[in-house]
Amino acid sequence: MSSTLGTNYKISIFGESHGTAIGAVIDAPPPGLEIDMEQVLVQMARRAPDGKDGSTKRVEADTPHIQSGVLDRDGKCIATGAPLCVLIQNTNTRSSDYQNISHIARPAHADYTGYIHYHGYNDIRGGGHFSGRLTAPLVFAGAVARQALAKMGIRVCAHIASIGDVCDTPLDPCAIPAEISERLSQSGFPVLDEVQEKLMKNEIERARMDADSVGGIIECAVTGIPAGIGAPIFDALECKIAHAVLGVPAVKGIEFGAGFAITRMRGSAANDPMRMQGDQVVTTSNNNGGILGGITNGMPVIFRAAVKPTASIGLPQQSIDYVDKQEADLIIKGRHDACIVPRAVPVIEAAAAVAILDEIMAEGKYE
């Protein structure tokens, strides 16, 4: 099903942007896993809008309410191994903003494609089930997954590699210190270079003042993952991660390691020389992103996701009325982000964590 991901750590996401609630069923976290709800809330807060730095003025608490799958043991939240169901209430909807576009397609939105696919029954308010609002339960599922991975020494972190033409310092693809990983995975605007953070925020503000939007690139790293995770051909770990990441609304591309830049190298530069570090095999470069033949080689798994500019902008646009089959002018109302990249960082981390935990559990290697 299109709203379900995974086989052993399987998540099913439900709800609409302006419905009563959104949520997910996770089947199932490892039994006995202690879920630190404070850390879950940190990740939820990173994704949630705060009305600042060009984010939408629609501010939701995004408080997750667990309905099943856990028990309270001495004040600790423990996974039972049964399906975990979580609900997140929608408390700040304003559906009237969408009355003027009930059958006028918003360019770069799924209004028209959803209308065709669902025979006119799709919910267009706030994007309905296509909305980025549905990433909140994904972040919850990822927050639980990353806690399970942490017990194996596996960390997931990401930063804003670029917004528009403003670029952050890249991650070291061979060695990412734990303190940097921890700092990035707790930040609401994760960058390595604070000077670039200010320039990025200026870029977002210029787009907002122009009633426009801007996109960017998110670079993600998974460290501590052992060699041997994954499979060849269609079950390659890249395929599993890409499947999850490309399911995030507004993501239009993904590349691993050096990505497309590897095509401009010769083999002598693109190949990652191998050596021994004690009893561990390491490489002196990481152009292949920590994955060879679809299987991890023990180096950090590195990938980048391209996030398009927010589709809802304040400028007049040319569109069509898909009921009357006529061209139409469109002005979008409502509350929208000038740039969704900062809020998408924990979503990309969550997608990676879900995909990797699912693969590790599928191989029976979860410890």
Side-chain angles (χ1 to χ4, degrees):
M1 295 177 64
S2 64
S3 299
T4 300
L5 176 70
T7 54
N8 285 264
Y9 186 77
K10 181 168 67 175
I11 64 171
S12 295
I13 292 174
F14 60 86
E16 293 83 29
S17 177
H18 284 226
T20 303
I22 55 177
V25 175
I26 308 171
D27 189 8
L33 175 68
E34 180 182 337
I35 301 173
D36 184 338
M37 288 304 296
E38 288 188 6
Q39 283 302 309
V40 169
L41 293 177
V42 167
Q43 298 306 318
M44 300 298 292
R46 293 175 69 210
R47 192 219 70 91
D50 59 7
K52 301 176 183 177
D53 296 326
S55 72
T56 175
K57 301 302 180 184
R58 178 186 175 181
V59 177
E60 296 275 6
D62 277 359
T63 304
H65 301 280
I66 298 177
Q67 308 296 302
S68 65
V70 298
L71 54 82
D72 186 326
R73 181 169 290 176
D74 300 325
K76 298 177 179 178
C77 181
I78 308 295
T80 65
L84 188 160
C85 178
V86 62
L87 284 177
I88 302 167
Q89 301 293 326
N90 288 329
T91 60
N92 189 12
T93 60
R94 202 166 73 189
S95 300
S96 60
D97 288 339
Y98 299 90
Q99 290 178 350
N100 72 316
I101 58 167
S102 60
H103 48 91
I104 297 178
R106 293 169 295 173
H109 275 281
D111 300 338
Y112 174 67
T113 54
Y115 174 81
I116 297 297
H117 187 79
Y118 294 110
H119 310 292
Y121 293 103
N122 56 307
D123 185 348
I124 59 95
R125 300 170 303 164
H129 191 62
F130 296 97
S131 173
R133 179 99 184 99
L134 274 294
T135 60
L138 173 57
V139 168
F140 176 90
V144 174
R146 69 198 302 162
Q147 291 184 34
L149 292 172
K151 293 187 176 300
M152 296 181 64
I154 300 172
R155 293 175 175 267
V156 182
C157 71
H159 73 121
I160 303 169
S162 67
I163 287 179
D165 292 326
V166 182
C167 298
D168 190 23
T169 302
L171 289 166
D172 181 339
C174 293
I176 301 163
E179 58 269 22
I180 289 181
S181 177
E182 182 66 18
R183 177 174 68 81
L184 293 176
S185 64
Q186 302 284 312
S187 173
F189 202 102
V191 292
L192 297 172
D193 186 339
E194 293 181 359
V195 173
Q196 300 306 103
E197 175 181 352
K198 183 176 181 180
L199 295 175
M200 288 178 178
K201 289 181 177 180
N202 289 342
E203 186 79 2
I204 294 170
E205 180 61 14
R206 282 195 293 271
R208 188 187 71 82
M209 293 300 292
D210 291 340
D212 215 330
S213 63
V214 64
I217 298 172
I218 295 169
E219 184 176 46
C220 185
V222 183
T223 59
I225 188 166
I229 303 299
I233 317 298
F234 301 121
D235 281 334
L237 190 62
E238 297 109 313
C239 297
K240 299 289 183 72
I241 294 172
H243 186 191
V245 170
L246 289 171
V248 176
V251 172
K252 302 302 290 183
I254 186 170
E255 62 176 10
F256 289 83
F260 286 98
I262 207 168
T263 65
R264 299 192 295 273
M265 302 177 186
R266 288 191 172 186
S268 54
N271 294 346
D272 299 314
M274 305 173 75
R275 65 182 180 88
M276 297 303 300
Q277 190 174 73
D279 60 354
Q280 281 192 312
V281 176
V282 297
T283 60
T284 57
S285 60
N286 195 8
N287 294 317
N288 290 280
I291 303 174
L292 295 167
I295 301 168
T296 57
N297 65 0
M299 296 297 288
V301 171
I302 303 282
F303 69 89
R304 285 168 296 281
V307 181
K308 73 179 184 180
T310 313
S312 290
I313 60 175
L315 297 171
Q317 298 179 82
Q318 175 64 46
S319 185
I320 53 98
D321 183 319
Y322 47 76
V323 173
D324 294 338
K325 301 294 178 64
Q326 295 180 349
E327 294 183 353
D329 294 324
L330 173 68
I331 296 180
I332 297 176
K333 301 178 181 179
R335 302 163 291 178
H336 308 286
D337 297 81
C339 180
I340 61 174
V341 175
R343 294 177 57 207
V345 172
V347 183
I348 299 303
E349 293 173 345
V354 167
I356 289 169
L357 178 60
D358 181 58
E359 181 61 24
I360 289 174
M361 292 175 67
E363 295 183 20
K365 295 180 179 178
Y366 182 74
E367 301 171 0

